[in-house]
Amino acid sequence: MKPTVNAKDVAKLAGVSQSSVSRVFFDGAKVTEKTRQKVLAAAKELGYRPNEYARSLITNSSKIIGLVMKGVQNPFYPQVLKQFTTSFKKHGYSVLFVHTNNDEIQSDDIDTLLNYNVAGVIITDASMSMNVAEAFQANRIPLVFFNRKLTSSQFHSVCCNNLNASRKIAEYLAALETGEMVYISGNEDTSTSREREQGFAEVLKQRGIAYKKYTSDFSYNGGYETAQKILSAGKIPSAVFAANDIMALGVMDAFRKQGVQIPEQVKVIGFDNIDMASWPAYELTTWEQPIEKMVDETVNYLLSEISEYTGRARAVEVEGSFVERKTT
Amino acid sequence: MKPTVNAKDVAKLAGVSQSSVSRVFFDGAKVTEKTRQKVLAAAKELGYRPNEYARSLITNSSKIIGLVMKGVQNPFYPQVLKQFTTSFKKHGYSVLFVHTNNDEIQSDDIDTLLNYNVAGVIITDASMSMNVAEAFQANRIPLVFFNRKLTSSQFHSVCCNNLNASRKIAEYLAALETGEMVYISGNEDTSTSREREQGFAEVLKQRGIAYKKYTSDFSYNGGYETAQKILSAGKIPSAVFAANDIMALGVMDAFRKQGVQIPEQVKVIGFDNIDMASWPAYELTTWEQPIEKMVDETVNYLLSEISEYTGRARAVEVEGSFVERKTT
DNA sequence: TGATTTTTTGCATACGTATTCAAATTAAGA
DNA sequence: TCTTAATTTGAATACGTATGCAAAAAATCA
């Protein structure tokens, strides 16, 4: 009893050589229509499917994309995961999912990715020490930081245009209020958090509006606790800009619990436009990150680097859009 | 220039045979401590890592688990994904993530899993036609339905004890109210939805309490719209039991929008105990699904079937627990 | 120490595919 | 129809690892 049927078996049944079978199943190889039909018929009869491991071994390449993710609690990321998976499927790639608990990717995760000789790597919501990222470069494996940017510009990244977005948000708020505002950052070592503050601060300064910064962690509870701190500091700010939606929701709930009226007493703005932002319980004004465009950018870059590695890196910025709801 | 360093290179440097190198990196093989050290030193110097594809090819097995998922919008599932990934990592397995849009898994997704000769498969929040599931059995690939159960008992499944849970919920509600209640189902073809109704109906009937059933789809919007239908039907039910939390949240928001007081006018109960259920904006009474236990059960079953395939299938039921909050 | 058993090592081979190169077939040209 | 060019096919090989088997080494026993 032979469990797996291989190309040779198909070849025998079809009356051709193993090479021909291989050529039928390998895109871009030349075969006569006649033999193709014979092979396909035989393959179907035997239930043949090419062994992906033998393929990867001989071609020294794989059809697997490594996707590293941390914040599955933030609904933004499952959404991203879904889009990546469906998009790559269209192009014949599968997704190896790697979850990291730490901010920084563990070296054993890297090992996994290298052992599987992944065709490309996407890192979302996590950072990575420089020398680890260089390990991928050394192996000529294209790498994209998604929604994160490294200070060093030698790595490719795809983000929303945070600077522009936060400027627009500040301008919008400045047109409504002039009292002291609050910015709630996420984890301070993230580019997203820093950039969103930068644009916000820039415009407010220009308009002569003060703001106070609170540091949090991109989580609902973080937002909730920060809002409590804000209230216990005594003065209710005219507006709060949270670095992402999920924190903004926490902020709203904490304010409401204390009877603070939104938007009458304080305006709240988030970032991402996750599903929940549109829920009637929140109706959060926010900035929409164009996930689809960002994913497309990432996929296209990876595919082009996979087909021909250049190592050329760029910080891609995609424009998002303002979504006005009931919290402002 | 040779890009990849292989076992032979290491062997040469260490002054041993390729077989010995292989044995050092293969768990359960015998090597002297002395040669092990020599090999490890050489491997480190050269930056050697075993080629996973060659391994899989020769052993005709892989260290990959296929995880098929549909509802990434429901926060319950990202949580599940995270737990599976971390748990399998501990055991040396990686997760190939497959997202399916349809209720039923596509055959090309199956092909992907079979091409990669996955060591095991987990299917969450999606069903699968019988003959497809049989394809896995034919290849002796262990398969688990997670949080779903097929009518046919020839497949392994891991669920929360839905019957018991929904009975307890009904008893709890019956002790508080006697007016007509509502059950909101998810997609009707899911075992979870059916079982949760069954236990609920059983107890209510016994207590002489009427209930009306609305069919929805496990989504927030579905819950929201259903609540609107309930209200437009005229009479406010004494209690609503939604087949999952995310629908319950939609129900709450719809009720509130219409000024219906929870829990004074209507009580609401969900199922899952997702993070959001505990948010101050909701404080939803619900039933907690013990994700960790369910994941452990699944992982243990798969690992044991991987090490020795028996094909023996069972419908495992894990006990959850009632979480009382402010909506009842 | 010498004989015998146990353990470790190396050699050779197999896994299933892609691909080079020469042979064979087909197509084109006259 | 015959020659020549172009295309398709098949045979052989390589990818990097695990493993059966025999040889070598080490350990055990007397």
Side-chain angles (χ1 to χ4, degrees):
Chain A
M1 85 165 231
K2 193 173 181 210
T4 71
V5 35
N6 60 22
K8 205 178 279 181
D9 300 331
V10 176
K12 198 186 293 176
L13 179 60
V16 299
S17 72
Q18 179 267 323
S19 322
S20 292
V21 176
S22 171
R23 283 190 258 260
V24 168
F25 286 91
F26 185 77
D27 284 350
K30 304 268 187 187
V31 218
T32 312
E33 189 56 28
K34 205 171 77 181
T35 57
R36 150 169 276 113
Q37 293 307 332
K38 280 195 292 184
V39 167
L40 287 178
K44 191 171 181 186
E45 184 177 340
L46 297 179
Y48 168 74
R49 65 184 74 254
N51 183 316
E52 207 64 42
Y53 299 110
R55 281 193 158 172
S56 291
L57 179 59
I58 192 75
T59 62
N60 191 30
S61 69
S62 78
K63 288 290 200 175
I64 297 183
I65 301 290
L67 181 51
V68 183
M69 188 170 277
K70 183 171 77 98
V72 291
Q73 323 278 11
N74 181 349
F76 178 73
Y77 289 105
Q79 199 64 30
V80 166
L81 171 61
K82 172 183 162 179
Q83 301 261 8
F84 269 122
T85 311
T86 54
S87 179
F88 275 119
K89 178 155 76 176
K90 279 184 204 138
H91 294 96
Y93 286 84
S94 299
V95 169
L96 195 73
F97 180 80
V98 175
H99 176 83
T100 169
N101 281 305
N102 303 49
D103 268 352
E104 198 159 286
I105 297 171
Q106 313 277 40
S107 70
D108 53 345
D109 291 326
I110 309 296
D111 283 344
T112 301
L113 295 173
L114 291 177
N115 286 351
Y116 280 106
N117 193 17
V118 289
V121 175
I122 300 166
I123 295 179
T124 71
D125 191 37
S127 76
M128 188 182 224
S129 68
M130 194 70 82
N131 61 330
V132 167
E134 280 165 353
F136 286 106
Q137 288 195 324
N139 290 53
R140 304 170 71 86
I141 295 176
L143 174 66
V144 176
F145 286 89
F146 186 91
N147 206 27
R148 286 290 183 279
K149 203 184 287 180
L150 287 200
T151 39
S152 144
S153 67
Q154 63 180 307
F155 298 104
H156 199 82
S157 65
V158 174
C159 293
C160 171
N161 188 336
N162 290 308
L163 224 50
N164 184 42
S166 52
R167 281 194 198 114
K168 291 271 169 62
I169 287 171
E171 281 164 13
Y172 172 83
L173 285 177
L176 297 177
E177 303 281 344
T178 54
E180 187 178 270
M181 299 184 181
V182 160
Y183 173 72
I184 303 180
S185 83
N187 310 48
E188 288 242 58
D189 56 344
T190 62
S191 61
T192 40
S193 190
R194 273 182 276 115
E195 288 181 347
R196 286 168 198 173
E197 178 177 11
Q198 191 185 331
F200 187 68
E202 198 179 295
V203 170
L204 289 193
K205 184 170 184 186
Q206 182 186 309
R207 305 291 171 95
I209 298 176
Y211 83 97
K212 209 166 162 186
K213 170 187 180 173
Y214 287 80
T215 300
S216 187
D217 61 358
F218 281 133
S219 78
Y220 175 88
N221 286 329
Y224 194 87
E225 286 159 17
T226 302
Q228 288 179 321
K229 274 188 213 150
I230 292 173
L231 291 183
S232 68
K235 200 170 59 179
I236 297 175
S238 68
V240 172
F241 171 34
N244 75 352
D245 280 354
I246 201 94
M247 285 198 296
L249 301 184
V251 168
M252 288 179 68
D253 284 344
F255 279 164
R256 286 171 172 170
K257 186 118 181 175
Q258 300 298 319
V260 177
Q261 299 287 321
I262 304 169
E264 293 77 7
Q265 291 178 268
V266 53
K267 303 197 167 14
V268 178
I269 293 192
F271 206 106
D272 283 348
N273 195 29
I274 59 179
D275 281 357
M276 289 186 284
S278 70
W279 287 7
Y282 295 104
E283 302 261 33
L284 177 67
T285 295
T286 186
W287 189 270
E288 173 167 336
Q289 293 218 61
I291 295 186
E292 213 172 307
K293 267 194 260 173
M294 289 167 69
V295 166
D296 283 350
E297 279 286 345
T298 307
V299 171
N300 290 338
Y301 170 79
L302 283 179
L303 290 179
S304 91
E305 283 293 292
I306 288 169
S307 76
E308 191 180 353
Y309 187 79
T310 68
R312 153 185 78 229
R314 206 162 66 80
V316 174
E317 310 225 314
V318 178
E319 294 300 329
S321 57
F322 190 67
V323 178
E324 187 173 18
R325 294 206 180 88
K326 308 250 174 88
T327 58
T328 52
Chain B
M1 81 163 235
K2 193 175 184 209
T4 71
V5 33
N6 60 21
K8 204 179 278 180
D9 300 331
V10 176
K12 197 187 293 176
L13 179 60
V16 299
S17 73
Q18 179 266 325
S19 322
S20 293
V21 176
S22 171
R23 284 189 256 261
V24 169
F25 285 91
F26 186 76
D27 286 350
K30 304 266 186 189
V31 217
T32 314
E33 188 57 27
K34 207 171 76 180
T35 57
R36 153 170 271 114
Q37 292 308 331
K38 279 195 292 184
V39 168
L40 287 178
K44 191 170 180 186
E45 184 178 338
L46 297 179
Y48 168 74
R49 65 182 75 254
N51 184 316
E52 207 64 42
Y53 299 110
R55 281 193 157 172
S56 292
L57 180 58
I58 192 76
T59 62
N60 190 30
S61 68
S62 79
K63 289 290 200 174
I64 296 183
I65 301 290
L67 181 50
V68 183
M69 187 169 277
K70 182 171 77 96
V72 291
Q73 323 278 9
N74 181 348
F76 178 73
Y77 289 105
Q79 199 66 30
V80 166
L81 170 61
K82 172 182 162 179
Q83 301 261 9
F84 270 122
T85 312
T86 54
S87 179
F88 275 119
K89 178 155 77 176
K90 279 184 203 137
H91 295 96
Y93 286 83
S94 299
V95 169
L96 195 74
F97 180 80
V98 174
H99 177 84
T100 169
N101 280 305
N102 302 48
D103 268 351
E104 198 158 288
I105 297 173
Q106 313 277 40
S107 72
D108 53 346
D109 292 326
I110 309 297
D111 283 344
T112 302
L113 295 173
L114 291 176
N115 286 351
Y116 280 106
N117 192 16
V118 289
V121 175
I122 300 166
I123 296 179
T124 71
D125 190 36
S127 76
M128 188 181 222
S129 67
M130 194 71 81
N131 61 332
V132 167
E134 280 166 354
F136 286 106
Q137 288 195 324
N139 290 54
R140 303 170 72 84
I141 295 175
L143 174 66
V144 176
F145 286 89
F146 186 92
N147 205 28
R148 285 290 182 280
K149 204 184 288 178
L150 286 200
T151 39
S152 143
S153 67
Q154 64 181 307
F155 299 105
H156 198 83
S157 65
V158 174
C159 292
C160 171
N161 187 336
N162 289 309
L163 225 49
N164 184 42
S166 52
R167 281 194 197 113
K168 290 272 170 60
I169 286 171
E171 283 164 11
Y172 172 85
L173 285 177
L176 297 177
E177 304 279 348
T178 54
E180 187 177 271
M181 300 184 181
V182 160
Y183 172 72
I184 304 179
S185 83
N187 309 48
E188 288 242 57
D189 56 343
T190 61
S191 61
T192 41
S193 191
R194 274 182 276 115
E195 288 181 347
R196 286 169 198 171
E197 177 177 10
Q198 190 185 331
F200 187 68
E202 197 179 296
V203 171
L204 288 194
K205 184 170 185 186
Q206 179 186 312
R207 305 290 171 96
I209 299 176
Y211 84 96
K212 209 166 161 188
K213 171 185 177 174
Y214 287 81
T215 300
S216 187
D217 63 356
F218 282 133
S219 78
Y220 175 89
N221 286 329
Y224 193 87
E225 286 160 17
T226 303
Q228 287 178 322
K229 273 188 214 149
I230 292 173
L231 291 183
S232 69
K235 199 170 60 180
I236 297 175
S238 68
V240 172
F241 171 34
N244 74 353
D245 280 354
I246 200 94
M247 283 197 298
L249 301 185
V251 168
M252 288 178 68
D253 284 344
F255 279 164
R256 285 171 172 169
K257 188 114 177 179
Q258 300 297 320
V260 177
Q261 299 288 322
I262 304 169
E264 291 78 7
Q265 293 179 265
V266 54
K267 302 197 168 12
V268 177
I269 293 192
F271 206 106
D272 283 349
N273 195 28
I274 59 179
D275 281 357
M276 288 184 286
S278 70
W279 287 8
Y282 295 103
E283 302 262 33
L284 177 67
T285 295
T286 186
W287 189 270
E288 174 167 336
Q289 294 218 61
I291 296 187
E292 214 172 307
K293 267 195 260 172
M294 291 167 68
V295 166
D296 283 351
E297 279 287 346
T298 307
V299 171
N300 289 339
Y301 170 79
L302 282 179
L303 290 179
S304 91
E305 283 294 292
I306 288 169
S307 75
E308 191 181 352
Y309 186 81
T310 68
R312 154 185 77 230
R314 206 163 66 82
V316 174
E317 307 227 316
V318 178
E319 294 299 329
S321 56
F322 190 67
V323 178
E324 186 173 20
R325 294 208 181 88
K326 309 250 174 88
T327 58
T328 52

